[in-house]
Amino acid sequence: RIQWGSFVSDINFWRRRSLRLPDVTAGPGIATSIVRCHVPFSAMWSPSFVPKPEDWPEQCRVVGTFTQDKKKAGVVDEEKFADVIKWLNEGDPPV
């Protein structure tokens, strides 16, 4: 909510001016707002397990799960994250 509150006016300005779409509001009735404003929505579960409900609008899709290459899972690019790794190793555990 905090993030949305920070950007809602800019997002809605862009939607109105550039896309000629209505404002999006959050809170009660958000599902109706998603349909009314044609906001794309992706459900991340297998359509083989639970297909897209027939009453869902066109812009809502069941896209399956997102996975990573299992061969690379758990491998960290130590060069790319050197500063973060150094910070974590130097101090007290962050959690």
Side-chain angles (χ1 to χ4, degrees):
R1 285 187 173 178
I2 292 172
Q3 254 185 336
W4 178 250
S6 300
F7 298 111
V8 66
S9 61
D10 294 323
I11 291 170
N12 282 328
F13 177 77
W14 171 71
R15 286 179 58 83
R16 283 190 309 273
R17 186 166 192 175
S18 300
L19 304 176
R20 293 184 168 80
L21 293 172
D23 288 357
V24 176
T25 57
I30 186 69
T32 304
S33 186
I34 288 171
V35 174
R36 179 179 54 81
C37 296
H38 304 284
V39 175
F41 179 84
S42 298
M44 296 183 299
W45 61 72
S46 171
S48 299
F49 181 63
V50 179
K52 175 182 168 180
E54 291 181 17
D55 61 343
W56 278 17
E58 179 60 31
Q59 79 269 18
C60 297
R61 297 215 162 72
V62 177
V63 296
T65 58
F66 294 103
T67 58
Q68 60 183 348
D69 184 350
K70 294 193 188 295
K71 294 177 187 173
K72 295 181 182 178
V75 176
V76 175
D77 183 345
E78 292 185 22
E79 185 177 330
K80 183 176 180 180
F81 297 103
D83 292 342
V84 174
I85 293 169
K86 180 181 176 202
W87 175 76
L88 288 171
N89 289 335
E90 286 178 351
D92 293 331
V95 180

